[in-house]
Amino acid sequence: MTKNDAAQNPQQPELEQEQEQEQELEQEQELEQAAEQEQDVEQEQAADATSNASDRLGELELALSQAEQRVTDANDRAVRAVAEMENIRRRAAQDVEKAHKFALEKFANEIITTVDNLERALEIAAQAESINQNFLEGIELTHKGLLSTLNKFGVEAVGVIGEAFNPELHQAMAMQPSADQDNNTILAVMQKGYTLSGRLLRPAMVMVVKN
């Protein structure tokens, strides 16, 4: 710009200065807008990252919960399987024990019937005026042998004169007063009873004192 031009237009420098200021202001605004946009982008990216992390965390928590549930279910199945096997083993043992006891009971009942017959024979022999001693000794030995065999298998006789009446072991067939025996004691045994390993096979048929 020449001196003549400045002289002709004295406001020209001011206009140029204003234009420069406006340009600088526009540049600053553009920079601010760019910074705001960049900040918005960063915030969106951060929000997306947070959302993705939250979603991933939720997926991991769900997977962990499902895995824990599968482990719990597997443990429950294992516990039930062990319990079922224990029940099967116990039932099998009970079945074997019942079968053994049933067979032994049947055997014992057959033997005690024979013992009853031998004891009746001995009672008759004791009342006889004369009897072959060899025959009597044979009956006594057979009786003792059968009792010994029963004892080996846990079979014991119950029902003894003078002991207290027990309704779980004895069956009262009659009652009679007695001056020699206490009340509610056994006065006479009509037929012996037997137990098998403490369990009643047959009650003793007895006469009970009733004073």
Side-chain angles (χ1 to χ4, degrees):
M1 180 183 298
T2 62
K3 292 180 179 181
N4 291 330
D5 293 334
Q8 293 176 357
N9 191 4
Q11 295 180 348
Q12 186 68 27
E14 294 178 358
L15 292 173
E16 292 179 354
Q17 186 176 3
E18 289 178 356
Q19 290 177 353
E20 290 177 356
Q21 290 177 351
E22 290 178 355
Q23 290 177 353
E24 291 177 356
L25 181 60
E26 289 177 354
Q27 289 177 355
E28 290 178 358
Q29 290 177 348
E30 290 177 355
L31 290 175
E32 289 177 356
Q33 290 177 352
E36 290 176 356
Q37 291 177 353
E38 184 177 357
Q39 185 177 5
D40 290 340
V41 170
E42 290 178 352
Q43 290 177 349
E44 289 178 359
Q45 291 176 347
D48 292 340
T50 302
S51 177
N52 292 336
S54 178
D55 293 342
R56 181 57 179 167
L57 179 60
E59 292 175 357
L60 292 174
E61 289 177 347
L62 178 60
L64 177 60
S65 176
Q66 292 174 345
E68 290 176 344
Q69 185 62 45
R70 286 195 294 270
V71 170
T72 300
D73 293 342
N75 287 337
D76 290 342
R77 289 194 297 271
V79 171
R80 286 195 297 270
V82 171
E84 183 62 23
M85 288 298 296
E86 181 62 23
N87 290 335
I88 292 173
R89 185 198 65 77
R90 186 168 57 252
R91 285 195 297 268
Q94 289 174 349
D95 291 341
V96 171
E97 183 180 2
K98 288 179 180 178
H100 177 70
K101 286 182 178 179
F102 176 77
L104 195 56
E105 283 182 8
K106 191 173 181 180
F107 162 77
N109 282 320
E110 292 294 332
I111 296 297
I112 62 178
T113 300
T114 303
V115 171
D116 291 339
N117 293 332
L118 289 173
E119 288 178 348
R120 280 192 289 268
L122 289 172
E123 290 175 359
I124 293 172
Q127 297 173 1
E129 294 182 357
S130 62
I131 189 171
N132 188 302
Q133 290 299 317
N134 291 332
F135 177 72
L136 181 59
E137 289 177 0
I139 295 176
E140 291 175 344
L141 289 174
T142 303
H143 179 252
K144 291 179 180 178
L146 289 177
L147 290 179
S148 176
T149 300
L150 289 172
N151 289 333
K152 287 180 181 178
F153 286 92
V155 179
E156 296 181 356
V158 294
V160 178
I161 294 174
E163 72 178 3
F165 175 77
N166 183 351
E168 295 182 356
L169 299 175
H170 310 136
Q171 182 177 351
M173 305 302 294
M175 293 185 179
Q176 181 175 323
S178 174
D180 299 328
Q181 299 287 345
D182 294 332
N183 194 42
N184 207 39
T185 57
I186 296 175
L187 182 62
V189 178
M190 302 168 184
Q191 185 183 62
K192 288 182 181 179
Y194 290 91
T195 59
L196 173 60
S197 299
R199 195 157 45 93
L200 186 65
L201 275 178
R202 186 182 75 184
M205 296 181 182
V206 298
M207 180 182 292
V208 183
V209 174
K210 183 71 172 180
N211 291 328

